[in-house]
Amino acid sequence: MSLFGLKFGKKKLKEEERQLQANNRDFNLQFEYANNSIKTSKYNFFTFLPLNLFEQFQRIANAYFLFLLILQLIPQISSLAWFTTVVPLVLVLAVSGVKDAIDDFNRHKSDKHVNNRPVQVLINGMLKDEKWMNVQVGDIIKLENNNFVTADLLLLSSSEPHSLTYIETAELDGETNLKVKQALTVTAELGEDLQKLTEFNGEVRCEAPNNKLDKFTGTLTLRGEKYALDNEKMLLRGCTIRNTEWCFGLVIYAGPDTKLMQNSGKTTFKRTSIDRLMNVLVLVIFAFLALMCLILAIGNGIWEYDKGYYFQVYLPWAEGINSASYSAFLMFWSYVIILNTVVPISLYVSVEIIRLGNSFYIDWDRKMYYPLNDTPAQARTTTLNEELGQIKYIFSDKTGTLTQNIMCFNKCSINGKSYGDVYDMSGQRIEINENTEKVDFSYNPLADPKFAFYDHSLVEAVKLNDVPTHRFFRLLSLCHTVMPEEKKEGNLVYQAQSPDEGALVTAARNFGFVFRARTPETITIVEMGETKIYKLLAILDFNNVRKRMSVIVRSPEGDLTLYCKGADTILYELLHSSCDSLKEETTEHLNEFAGEGLRTLVVAYKNLDEDYFQDWIRRHHEASTALEGREDKLSELYEEIEKDLMLLGATAIEDKLQDGVPQTIETLAKANIKIWVLTGDKQETAMNIGYSCNLLDDDMEDVFIIEGSTSDDVLNELRNARKKMKPDSFLDSDEINIQFEKSSKNPKIIPDEQANGVYGLVITGHSLAYALEGNLELELVRTACMCKVVICCRVTPLQKAQVVELVKKYKKAVTLAIGDGANDVSMIKTAHIGVGISGQEGMQAVLSSDFSFAQFRYLQRLLLVHGRWSYIRMCKFLKYFFYKNFAFTLLHFWYGFFCGFSAQTVYDEWFITLYNLVYTSLPVLGMSLFDQDVDDRWSMLFPQLYVPGQQNLYFNKMVFVKCMLQGIYSSLILFFIPYGAMYNTMRSDGKAIADYQSFALMAQTCLLIVVSVQIGLDTSYWTVVNQFFIWGSLSVYFAITFTMYSDGMYLIFTASFPFVGTARNTLSQPNVWLAIFLSITLCVLPVVGFRFLKAQLKPTPSDKVLLKIKEAKKRPPPPSPKRRLRRTSTRRSGYAFSHQHGFGALIMSGRNMRPKSPFATTGTFSPNSDKHKHKGL
């Protein structure tokens, strides 16, 4: 027996094959397969503290403060008390830890909710309610209609004929159309007989757990016979059972081994680019700190050797110090403690507070609140806000994110006349809105009450028995693969394989051609109140090459007719020459429909000759039973009969986009954000949506379609595309080619390349699998990133994550992934920022996301307003914070040259303690929480303002160096101006003022006023709070200073407040205030001058936009009219149905038919009856 998952000691072998036996837990337990419990959380009760602390100490600054704390515990070098570091460090770790704990608690809650769902498990011959988490491999479970599938199951039997089961796979691939699964005949016989199911002891051998959603291979051994298993017999976790009363399944993979969980990716610790930059900068500051300490330590060694040694009578060396070099060594560490304020721990406390505050703005934003389902926007992670202002690439799901996945029959063209538009009395077309009068279908008792149509003339045409109109709707009610359900009389529910088909059949139903029932041989239609049964003679099934489907029916009157619908490009080639003039009129209508982004189909018919048909059907039977070349023979026969068709008209279906999607995409494109759509849907559908929502348009130079079926084909297609976009990129002199010729295992960052026009790229999942391989990924990322838009279709959840990872690997850009289903979880986790839409596909995406809201259109506000503001505020904060702390700390450095390098502090100890904590903390927090260069309206009107964030212009290494130089310059002014002003100075009464305490007070007063003026210069948006914080901080400084330097405080706490009387003596002197004024002027004037000249002589794109806004504010623009975005296009939708090939054959075989509905042949309504005549339109 093979070992599969057996453990040797503690090591588990990699599973290569899975073996299990039904109803035999003892046998299956030996392989130690995972149970059905899932875990998305990061910590548990015991691992939280060590893991969280490990994550937090990855921040170099936190590790640095721990090191400082250890230094402060050594008495020989400690110049500050240990608690000055412990308290803030513990505070920072606690705040971050609590926040992480809350996030993980929510994940635990979500896991618990899923793991505790109930399911019926067959145990000892009885069905028992069990929790999902307790289900094990080899168990047989029962699922009922609308249940979620518990684990990956082998379908054994179901309530439907031939053990068919209908499932919806929206959570896996985003598609809401129904798919059919069928059990093996040998297990279908088990039915719901619990005795037989209990005795079932089949043994399954299959592949090890993997992430391939569309592939499964295995065998079932039962009573010595072997049966092949494939994906068509599997029900995967994440699917939902539909239209099936019950089914039984055998658990093959459980919990983390299921294909859904294998695709979901790992929860990673996300850090912003500013966080990563700060780690680098902190290292630079440490090096700078070490250099300063080394200079001062060397200075101390020289001074002690030269002067201090002979000065010991007055200033003896400390106990244990016996040489100048040892004194220098200790002084090095003393200065490390004193100068540590270049990276104050309050920096990290403030950063967390700013991020938290900006997160609350997102939570509180009423403009991102969706009232229809009471969903506010939510910042689920509070550490990534500023990254929202730097997004370069957006990876979006399609179904449920861009679209509502609701198809509406919107317009049609019948016999050269267009229907669907509404006109006023003067013949002008009017915009349809919620106030437009709808067509009243109350005369039709079988009408769908949810169906809305606004053009009354179409109903009039139906009522007037217009022959082409009747034939048009008759075709729609007959030519499809929809299954009807009628549990109550008149209450019809259509189960369509694609939402498009459902929309067309529902339209026919409302206009009086009600598809009522079907058997393998017949279709029952209620036509204008009269029940008619058509004989279904053949279904000429859809496939991706034909892009059409046809049915051949015999009417109750005996007429033979072929009805066909499909893509206009295909059907136009098959029309009879007599249709040429009608074809031109219909083409005009199709262009109009396509221009509005509607999905179009052309419909046609053909009356058949009886003798010809009999011959054709005989040949059709032979072809369908042929052992070789069956598909080709059938295709030839279909081509033969689908000729000389008579054109009836065209349909136009709207795949309803979410509100505001085209406008949002247009705005984001102006902000230089590239949008990639990653969808599990088919290529045709994805491209239609691309055109509908303005991603793709006819102004593009080209839209490349990559659909190669081999690695070489894909490489050639990608290279040809790149050659067209940028021929120079193949030259040896090309910068990127040179860069990658130098062999290196580390991936290189590819700089942005400009194409010679605007291009789009569409790639299928099959081709993408090759493109993501090692040797092709570079080609893919170079070609795709040159395009304005990329659409990846038929992709698996894991491929979505791989695409995101690829861009992260080769591009120095911030990525955002947005989706609403479980199939989007892996890319949401992989991207720098994950956004979940709380839509119709459950909450898995939201639970894994960093931010969530209800509508895609809120994304522009999240990025252009909240993201941009957060980024600007954080950059301003960091620039100011580093500046004020360099200015503050470097005074100690200059003072070292005047105090024998003795680690004497230049300021009063209380000022050092309160500088970052009280005097300068609130003004900078006020700016970082309330500042905005322009308000939200202008941010949305000028998306170009977003671009500097993408290029990281507001805070980078160069900006940091400028802050550092400004801090050094200010510290020189702030030290030497007070020093010069104090040197040998007399008071007005002739007493000396040049003492250490007076100098210290003057230096710290100058410093505080200068940094307060600087924050005033940095503030763009003044509020009462800002004013209060700045003036309040200065007032508090003077109040505390005069209090602490008073006689009373000295008498009470003599040792703690030695600066008695300094404030009133020093600050009463006019020359002191003159020196303060001079210091402020010299510090601020260069900054003001530089900013003014830069804005005048070398304005940035942002400066230009801000100037435009300033001018526009003088004459506010009128509110922009609400308009519906339309596009002009000559491209028409193809046959965009998500059909499974072969569904027609399934219907004709009757294997999916229920017993005949008792209501199927009833129906008595007539729109022209007396009863309904008064309900005119």
Side-chain angles (χ1 to χ4, degrees):
M1 185 178 73
S2 57
L3 297 165
F4 313 117
L6 285 176
K7 286 184 179 177
F8 287 99
K10 289 188 177 179
K11 193 176 179 183
K12 186 173 179 178
L13 288 180
K14 189 182 176 187
E15 193 176 337
E16 291 178 6
E17 184 191 22
R18 178 155 289 206
Q19 180 184 15
L20 60 104
Q21 211 171 70
N23 291 315
N24 190 343
R25 279 193 172 184
D26 293 337
F27 175 82
N28 300 325
L29 280 171
Q30 66 179 310
F31 302 114
E32 297 185 353
Y33 297 136
N35 65 14
N36 205 41
S37 173
I38 63 156
K39 176 176 173 284
T40 59
S41 54
K42 287 200 287 188
Y43 316 110
N44 62 34
F45 183 78
F46 299 104
T47 62
F48 173 74
L49 204 59
L51 271 180
N52 189 260
L53 285 174
F54 174 73
E55 279 179 358
Q56 293 208 54
F57 280 114
Q58 283 183 329
R59 272 186 179 162
I60 293 171
N62 284 348
Y64 164 66
F65 290 122
L66 187 64
F67 171 67
L68 263 186
L69 174 62
I70 294 164
L71 285 183
Q72 284 179 319
L73 295 175
I74 302 168
Q76 284 87 346
I77 59 173
S78 177
S79 45
L80 293 170
W82 61 271
F83 55 80
T84 56
T85 302
V86 167
V87 175
L89 179 61
V90 169
L91 185 68
V92 171
L93 296 176
V95 168
S96 299
V98 167
K99 189 167 55 57
D100 291 340
I102 291 167
D103 287 346
D104 208 56
F105 176 72
N106 290 331
R107 291 191 201 100
H108 273 285
K109 223 159 83 172
S110 157
D111 291 346
K112 190 177 176 183
H113 171 71
V114 172
N115 288 332
N116 287 326
R117 282 179 181 163
V119 65
Q120 297 180 71
V121 183
L122 186 65
I123 300 173
N124 300 327
M126 293 172 65
L127 284 172
K128 293 184 180 174
D129 282 336
E130 270 287 6
K131 293 176 180 176
W132 276 28
M133 61 194 283
N134 297 328
V135 171
Q136 295 185 10
V137 171
D139 287 353
I140 291 177
I141 63 175
K142 180 183 181 181
L143 296 172
E144 293 173 346
N145 197 25
N146 298 326
N147 280 177
F148 289 112
V149 177
T150 310
D152 289 356
L153 311 175
L154 170 65
L155 178 61
L156 298 178
S157 62
S158 84
S159 57
E160 301 306 288
H162 305 277
S163 278
L164 293 175
T165 297
Y166 298 93
I167 58 166
E168 189 182 275
T169 59
E171 290 282 6
L172 289 173
D173 56 20
E175 293 186 11
T176 53
N177 52 293
L178 295 184
K179 296 184 173 64
V180 184
K181 302 288 182 178
Q182 186 175 13
L184 286 168
T185 312
V186 67
T187 61
E189 296 164 358
L190 301 171
E192 57 178 334
D193 187 328
L194 297 185
Q195 186 61 37
K196 285 183 181 176
L197 285 162
T198 306
E199 291 168 0
F200 175 71
N201 63 350
E203 192 169 310
V204 174
R205 281 177 179 266
C206 62
E207 61 194 15
N210 59 66
N211 53 41
K212 293 173 183 168
L213 293 171
D214 56 350
K215 183 176 164 290
F216 176 80
T217 52
T219 58
L220 169 68
T221 307
L222 185 64
R223 297 190 285 274
E225 293 286 323
K226 267 192 180 182
Y227 303 90
L229 302 177
D230 58 27
N231 205 44
E232 297 308 306
K233 297 168 183 62
M234 292 292 290
L235 304 178
L236 301 183
R237 180 176 181 137
C239 299
T240 309
I241 305 293
R242 299 283 190 221
N243 306 336
T244 307
E245 284 182 29
W246 53 263
C247 66
F248 284 88
L250 171 67
V251 178
I252 305 293
Y253 305 120
D257 291 342
T258 58
K259 291 184 184 280
L260 176 69
M261 294 306 292
Q262 291 273 312
N263 270 290
S264 68
K266 288 182 179 176
T267 302
T268 53
F269 178 57
K270 293 185 179 181
R271 300 204 340 265
T272 67
S273 53
I274 282 184
D275 265 341
R276 291 189 291 274
L277 176 61
M278 275 167 62
N279 268 354
V280 174
L281 296 183
V282 166
L283 284 173
V284 171
I285 292 170
F286 290 164
F288 182 64
L289 175 66
L291 179 65
M292 287 195 296
C293 294
L294 186 64
I295 291 168
L296 293 168
I298 292 169
N300 177 262
I302 294 168
W303 191 88
E304 291 289 357
Y305 181 78
D306 193 36
K307 299 271 176 71
Y309 180 78
Y310 305 104
F311 202 48
Q312 288 187 57
V313 176
Y314 178 70
L315 191 69
W317 283 352
E319 192 181 335
I321 296 175
N322 49 22
S323 70
S325 56
Y326 186 56
S327 170
F329 172 75
L330 292 180
M331 211 50 69
F332 176 87
W333 297 110
S334 294
Y335 269 115
V336 167
I337 294 170
I338 284 179
L339 300 178
N340 82 77
T341 46
V342 278
V343 190
I345 198 160
S346 59
L347 170 69
Y348 286 91
V349 179
S350 303
V351 164
E352 292 300 325
I353 291 169
I354 292 163
R355 285 174 173 165
L356 191 64
N358 285 311
S359 297
F360 282 131
Y361 290 150
I362 294 169
D363 295 345
W364 296 336
D365 191 342
R366 289 188 178 185
K367 290 180 182 175
M368 290 168 69
Y369 169 73
Y370 191 56
L372 291 183
N373 57 6
D374 187 29
T375 308
Q378 192 180 7
R380 298 174 54 80
T381 305
T382 56
T383 53
L384 303 171
N385 304 39
E386 69 271 12
E387 199 121 278
L388 288 170
Q390 298 179 274
I391 304 298
K392 186 70 185 287
Y393 290 90
I394 291 176
F395 300 91
S396 174
D397 177 39
K398 179 189 77 69
T399 311
T401 304
L402 299 177
T403 68
Q404 300 178 33
N405 210 38
I406 299 170
M407 303 291 175
C408 295
F409 181 84
N410 198 298
K411 294 181 181 180
C412 62
S413 169
I414 303 173
N415 199 31
K417 186 175 180 193
S418 176
Y419 296 97
D421 287 318
V422 181
Y423 298 89
D424 60 17
M425 300 298 286
S426 61
Q428 295 293 313
R429 187 161 75 172
I430 59 173
E431 193 75 33
I432 292 171
N433 55 42
E434 59 270 14
N435 300 319
T436 309
E437 187 190 357
K438 294 179 184 176
V439 170
D440 181 10
F441 291 109
S442 60
Y443 66 83
N444 179 353
L446 291 174
D448 184 344
K450 295 181 202 146
F451 181 80
F453 201 76
Y454 300 91
D455 186 354
H456 297 252
S457 63
L458 185 53
V459 181
E460 292 297 337
V462 171
K463 286 187 172 182
L464 293 169
N465 295 322
D466 179 59
V467 175
T469 307
H470 277 219
R471 192 173 276 142
F472 177 87
F473 284 115
R474 188 178 295 118
L475 182 148
L476 294 186
S477 64
L478 290 168
C479 184
H480 55 78
T481 57
V482 172
M483 299 296 297
E485 263 193 292
E486 191 171 5
K487 292 183 177 174
K488 292 180 185 174
E489 184 169 359
N491 183 14
L492 269 170
V493 178
Y494 292 142
Q495 300 300 340
Q497 245 214 310
S498 73
D500 308 59
E501 286 235 286
L504 293 174
V505 177
T506 301
R509 165 185 175 179
N510 276 58
F511 284 103
F513 289 75
V514 185
F515 168 56
R516 196 74 185 268
R518 84 178 325 141
T519 70
E521 298 87 24
T522 65
I523 298 176
T524 303
I525 306 292
V526 181
E527 288 187 13
M528 307 304 290
E530 186 184 344
T531 299
K532 291 188 176 180
I533 299 175
Y534 288 80
K535 285 190 178 173
L536 179 61
L537 303 171
I539 295 180
L540 283 59
D541 206 2
F542 161 86
N543 67 32
N544 281 321
V545 178
R546 283 166 44 75
K547 293 192 178 176
R548 64 187 184 273
M549 77 161 288
S550 302
V551 294
I552 300 172
V553 296
R554 190 188 299 279
S555 70
E557 294 77 30
D559 299 327
L560 271 174
T561 314
L562 177 142
Y563 292 109
C564 181
K565 67 179 179 191
D568 53 90
T569 49
I570 303 290
L571 245 66
Y572 270 14
E573 302 298 318
L574 308 174
L575 295 178
H576 193 274
S577 56
S578 63
C579 300
D580 285 353
S581 62
L582 178 57
K583 188 159 77 170
E584 285 179 21
E585 291 174 346
T586 308
T587 302
E588 280 184 31
H589 295 154
L590 283 167
N591 288 340
E592 280 180 36
F593 300 157
E596 295 173 35
L598 303 177
R599 296 159 64 135
T600 58
L601 288 174
V602 168
V603 294
Y605 76 101
K606 177 183 180 181
N607 292 318
L608 298 174
D609 174 69
E610 183 70 44
D611 294 337
Y612 167 74
F613 174 71
Q614 291 304 331
D615 175 55
W616 184 88
I617 199 76
R618 178 184 56 75
R619 287 182 289 137
H620 177 267
H621 178 71
E622 288 171 7
S624 61
T625 53
L627 294 174
E628 289 182 8
R630 182 184 300 176
E631 291 295 323
D632 294 337
K633 288 175 183 176
L634 282 173
S635 186
E636 282 174 27
L637 281 169
Y638 292 169
E639 293 282 346
E640 180 192 313
I641 201 166
E642 290 172 329
K643 277 182 184 169
D644 297 329
L645 303 177
M646 303 302 292
L647 181 61
L648 268 175
T651 64
I653 289 174
E654 182 183 7
D655 185 356
K656 274 192 174 284
L657 294 171
Q658 287 201 9
D659 293 342
V661 165
Q663 293 89 334
T664 300
I665 284 169
E666 191 177 50
T667 305
L668 293 174
K670 286 178 185 170
N672 201 28
I673 296 172
K674 294 189 176 182
I675 299 176
W676 293 26
V677 176
L678 311 178
T679 175
D681 222 331
K682 59 185 290 187
Q683 178 184 323
E684 196 94 24
T685 316
M687 287 184 73
N688 286 331
I689 294 301
Y691 279 97
S692 298
C693 58
N694 289 353
L695 277 168
L696 301 173
D697 59 63
D698 289 335
D699 295 334
M700 285 184 164
E701 303 285 332
D702 201 353
V703 177
F704 305 111
I705 296 175
I706 311 296
E707 48 189 356
S709 52
T710 67
S711 187
D712 290 340
D713 290 348
V714 174
L715 180 62
N716 290 332
E717 288 175 349
L718 287 169
R719 282 192 169 158
N720 290 338
R722 180 156 66 91
K723 201 166 197 172
K724 185 169 181 181
M725 290 190 285
K726 191 184 178 189
D728 295 351
S729 65
F730 285 88
L731 299 175
D732 290 339
S733 58
D734 182 72
E735 179 192 342
I736 296 172
N737 293 337
I738 294 167
Q739 185 180 330
F740 278 87
E741 270 174 20
K742 298 170 186 174
S743 58
S744 170
K745 289 184 180 177
N746 297 325
K748 299 266 196 330
I749 297 297
I750 301 176
D752 285 341
E753 297 178 89
Q754 291 301 317
N756 55 20
V758 179
Y759 294 89
L761 182 85
V762 178
I763 183 166
T764 63
H766 186 73
S767 303
L768 187 62
Y770 291 113
L772 289 169
E773 289 173 359
N775 55 336
L776 282 186
E777 63 176 22
L778 185 63
E779 193 64 51
L780 172 66
V781 82
R782 282 191 74 177
T783 306
C785 289
M786 268 195 262
C787 297
K788 182 187 173 191
V789 173
V790 178
I791 297 176
C792 304
C793 37
R794 286 285 184 222
V795 291
T796 65
L798 192 69
Q799 281 180 321
K800 290 184 177 185
Q802 287 172 329
V803 170
V804 177
E805 190 60 56
L806 183 69
V807 174
K808 281 174 68 179
K809 180 178 173 184
Y810 286 109
K811 286 285 175 184
K812 191 179 180 181
V814 181
T815 59
L816 178 146
I818 179 168
D820 70 324
N823 57 320
D824 304 315
V825 167
S826 53
M827 77 169 176
I828 283 171
K829 286 180 177 177
T830 305
H832 293 103
I833 302 278
V835 177
I837 289 187
S838 44
Q840 300 173 358
E841 294 184 24
M843 293 293 284
Q844 280 89 333
V846 169
L847 293 169
S848 304
S849 67
D850 305 306
F851 301 89
S852 69
F853 41 70
Q855 295 278 292
F856 181 84
R857 69 177 185 270
Y858 298 148
L859 184 62
Q860 62 180 330
R861 189 168 175 83
L862 183 73
L863 301 187
L864 303 185
V865 178
H866 293 289
R868 193 174 154 278
W869 282 351
S870 294
Y871 172 68
I872 289 173
R873 288 165 182 167
M874 184 59 73
C875 292
K876 279 190 172 184
F877 165 77
L878 291 172
K879 285 192 288 188
Y880 174 74
F881 211 91
F882 283 125
Y883 160 71
K884 78 180 178 72
N885 281 293
F886 270 109
F888 169 74
T889 308
L890 283 167
L891 263 73
H892 292 299
F893 180 77
W894 308 123
Y895 186 58
F897 290 89
F898 294 85
C899 68
F901 308 96
S902 60
Q904 164 76 32
T905 57
V906 73
Y907 314 111
D908 167 24
E909 278 195 357
W910 283 103
F911 181 79
I912 295 172
T913 309
L914 298 175
Y915 177 72
N916 278 312
L917 200 64
V918 176
Y919 300 148
T920 61
S921 60
L922 288 179
V924 72
L925 279 179
M927 180 187 71
S928 308
L929 290 173
F930 301 110
D931 202 49
Q932 40 183 275
D933 53 349
V934 293
D935 64 23
D936 56 343
R937 189 167 61 99
W938 295 108
S939 292
M940 302 278 270
L941 280 173
F942 290 94
Q944 307 90 314
L945 286 168
Y946 189 79
V947 175
Q950 296 170 332
Q951 299 166 351
N952 210 14
L953 295 181
Y954 291 149
F955 190 75
N956 51 43
K957 289 172 187 170
M958 186 53 68
V959 171
F960 170 74
V961 169
K962 286 178 186 173
C963 293
M964 199 167 161
L965 292 174
Q966 188 191 350
I968 293 169
Y969 167 75
S970 293
S971 69
L972 280 165
I973 298 293
L974 292 169
F975 179 81
F976 286 103
I977 295 286
Y979 181 81
M982 285 282 175
Y983 193 69
N984 288 336
T985 305
M986 294 288 183
R987 273 178 20 176
S988 54
D989 59 1
K991 292 179 181 176
I993 197 173
D995 60 83
Y996 160 71
Q997 292 186 346
S998 298
F999 169 71
L1001 177 67
M1002 189 174 171
Q1004 64 198 38
T1005 305
C1006 285
L1007 170 71
L1008 197 64
I1009 296 175
V1010 164
V1011 296
S1012 297
V1013 171
Q1014 183 66 45
I1015 194 109
L1017 290 174
D1018 288 347
T1019 302
S1020 307
Y1021 182 71
W1022 286 92
T1023 64
V1024 175
V1025 179
N1026 294 71
Q1027 297 273 9
F1028 176 74
F1029 281 171
I1030 291 174
W1031 295 111
S1033 293
L1034 285 170
S1035 305
V1036 166
Y1037 164 71
F1038 284 110
I1040 289 176
T1041 301
F1042 276 96
T1043 304
M1044 288 199 305
Y1045 296 179
S1046 65
D1047 298 352
M1049 292 299 284
Y1050 175 72
L1051 292 171
I1052 302 167
F1053 306 104
T1054 307
S1056 300
F1057 299 101
F1059 279 48
V1060 60
T1062 308
R1064 64 175 181 268
N1065 288 337
T1066 307
L1067 296 178
S1068 60
Q1069 301 301 310
N1071 59 337
V1072 168
W1073 284 104
L1074 187 65
I1076 290 172
F1077 177 74
L1078 183 61
S1079 301
I1080 295 165
T1081 306
L1082 286 173
C1083 284
V1084 171
L1085 204 60
V1087 178
V1088 175
F1090 175 76
R1091 289 184 186 180
F1092 174 77
L1093 290 172
K1094 186 171 179 289
Q1096 295 300 315
L1097 303 176
K1098 198 180 175 185
T1100 62
S1102 286
D1103 291 333
K1104 292 172 186 173
V1105 174
L1106 290 168
L1107 191 65
K1108 273 188 201 172
I1109 291 171
K1110 201 175 278 186
E1111 288 168 4
K1113 277 181 181 175
K1114 294 169 187 172
R1115 35 173 176 69
S1120 54
K1122 286 187 179 178
R1123 59 191 177 87
R1124 187 173 174 185
L1125 247 158
R1126 293 175 182 267
R1127 66 184 181 89
T1128 53
S1129 167
T1130 54
R1131 182 191 181 280
R1132 288 194 292 282
S1133 153
Y1135 192 95
F1137 292 174
S1138 308
H1139 269 303
Q1140 278 179 295
H1141 177 55
F1143 205 72
L1146 187 64
I1147 287 173
M1148 294 295 289
S1149 71
R1151 286 182 297 155
N1152 65 334
M1153 298 296 171
R1154 297 172 182 270
K1156 216 174 191 183
S1157 165
F1159 312 116
T1161 54
T1162 62
T1164 52
F1165 84 89
S1166 168
N1168 297 317
S1169 67
D1170 292 337
K1171 180 180 175 185
H1172 297 289
K1173 265 185 184 169
H1174 66 284
K1175 292 187 183 176
L1177 300 169

